[in-house]
Amino acid sequence: MTGTAEPTALHPFLGRASHELLIDGRWLPAASGETFPSVDPSTGATIAHLAAGGAADVDLAVAAARRAFEGPWGAATPVQRQNVLLRLATLLEENYAALRRLDAIDMGSPVGPNLLAAIEKPVELCRYYAGWPTKIYGETIPNSAPGMVCYTLRKPVGVVGAIIPWNGPFQSALMKIAPALATGCTVVLKPSEQACLSVLMLGELIGQLDLPPGVVNIVTGGPEAGAALARHRGVDKIAFTGSTATGRSIVAASTGNLKRVSMELGGKSPDVVFADADLDRAVPGAAMGVFGSAGQMCVACARVYVERPVYEEFVERTARFAEGLVVGNSLDTTTQIGPVISEAQLGKVTGHIGDALEAGAATRAGGTRLIDPARAGGFFVAPTVLTDVRDDMRVVQEEIFGPVAAIMPFDDRDEVVRRANATDYGLAGAVWTRDLATAHHMAERLRTGVLWVNCFGMFEPGVPFGGMKTSGWGHEFGPQSLDEYLSITSVWLRVGTDEEARTGARRATAPEAWPGGGH
């Protein structure tokens, strides 16, 4: 495909003048009437115009979500919530190819096999959460108060403000919407302005669920809309995925009404390759752990530590692997690596490479923007292998979100643990070794929320995922994720009479009431 193709030829969903906001079950223009362009990063061409929502639109969406929560959706039974999610899973299964193609056009995720297509497994995700509405249990609690019964209720937290990034947008949206609906919450979703289209298509599918108006609302727009949602006093919880810097801003904005916050933030994950590793697995595994999705993954293992006896072989093989990857238009089924999301991101990635080279690093593969005629207008970076890098370099310390691997040697286990942990982040990591004791040792000592051993990028809806340190608060997936959307009420219920309570209290405090008490 080229930048001259008509948007409707690329995808039927693009064949409209503008794409509106979903508020209270209706599609509406932004209150300001303003729009902004969506750009295909493979070609640089504008493919759509979207409503530029702002604070006024967020107000309307939050009010709609509140009405639904306090009204018909709040009265929905567990089985009704379950059936909604099962129906959504079926719709996703029927429309998955179209959603995936829309993401390819909008944010550059290749239509061929790629990591982001497999990570969230959106159909399985919906079906997993569909199983939970009938299993959200409270507890009965033994207590020492005579005539009293204690138990807990787990209740939906209320209106959820969900803010998601541009890498894997409709999957990221489902990671917020599915647990919110399972627990009985309502949602105001704000996608990244750089990739909204598949989220809007998801909104159209949700419209087929016969939900009460306002259960799910979608407000597209820039930072103003996200900030308005984060500080809104009508929002009970923010669920955020994005950069650590934005996460800090959200925490500050949330203090107005002390809303609940869960965040999956940035990372600069380590990949540790021991000398006994199976390099036939470790080379492609570690390489795609940073080059996959053009490096635009929060879990990208961009700091690669290799034990010195195999360091040179690993670097040489990784460089050859990088040079053999097919980088191209995301709609080409032979493409393995697509573009980065925008011209600004392209500048950031190449700027980091340039800074590293000035600081003494060397390139063993890539290191440049690809500007040949086949990729003209697109934002393509060659998969890059850097050596002669130090732990204090920006390219090692800062999240790049581009296909740049910094490969460094190490000499022993204690050294690599210290260096791998010497970062503000703690999201993910990988270890390659044939030794089970080494694997367990590294799992114990590396400060990461998820660790892959002899693999990369494995996710399941039932397995919790979250970060340590500045990589986030709380968890996605698994039973733990439900806690982010639930509050607990402790109930004290008197079942005895006043006389029973008084006499019971005396008996409980009398010496003879205790085992071995009395004379």
Side-chain angles (χ1 to χ4, degrees), residues 44-243:
T46 296
I47 51 174
H49 289 85
L50 300 99
D57 305 291
V58 169
D59 286 342
L60 291 174
V62 171
R66 179 63 60 189
R67 286 192 298 273
F69 177 70
E70 295 180 353
W73 185 244
T77 67
V79 168
Q80 287 173 322
R81 300 200 304 271
Q82 179 183 67
N83 289 338
V84 162
L85 287 165
L86 289 173
R87 172 64 176 144
L88 180 57
T90 299
L91 289 172
L92 289 171
E93 198 165 35
E94 293 169 355
N95 293 275
Y96 181 69
L99 286 162
R100 177 112 171 260
R101 184 176 178 85
L102 203 51
D103 269 355
I105 301 164
D106 198 23
M107 56 76 60
S109 176
V111 292
N114 70 91
L115 179 64
L116 283 178
I119 281 181
E120 284 82 15
K121 300 180 180 178
V123 175
E124 289 88 343
L125 183 71
C126 276
R127 289 181 177 147
Y128 173 80
Y129 282 108
W132 275 109
T134 57
K135 303 173 187 68
I136 298 174
Y137 304 139
E139 299 175 304
T140 56
I141 304 170
N143 68 86
S144 301
M148 291 287 183
V149 171
C150 283
Y151 63 93
T152 60
L153 297 172
R154 298 174 77 195
K155 302 177 180 178
V157 70
V159 176
V160 174
I163 304 174
I164 61 169
W166 44 261
N167 55 332
F170 86 87
Q171 296 99 324
S172 294
L174 285 169
M175 289 166 67
K176 314 300 186 192
I177 291 171
L181 297 187
T183 53
C185 297
T186 56
V187 180
V188 178
L189 177 68
K190 194 278 179 189
S192 166
E193 63 272 25
Q194 292 180 297
C196 299
L197 293 171
S198 65
V199 177
L200 294 174
M201 184 176 173
L202 176 63
E204 292 196 349
L205 296 179
I206 289 172
Q208 299 179 35
L209 299 176
D210 196 29
L211 283 172
V215 174
V216 176
N217 307 270
I218 301 173
V219 178
T220 57
E224 178 194 350
L229 191 58
R231 66 174 179 262
H232 203 290
R233 289 179 176 271
V235 172
D236 300 297
K237 170 193 166 54
I238 291 290
F240 173 70
T241 299
S243 72

Side-chain angles (χ1 to χ4, degrees), residues 370-388:
L370 298 175
I371 53 174
D372 55 282
R375 288 169 280 222
F379 314 128
F380 297 98
V381 180
T384 298
V385 174
L386 297 177
T387 58
D388 300 331

Side-chain angles (χ1 to χ4, degrees), residues 147 366 495 498:
V495 295
D498 290 346

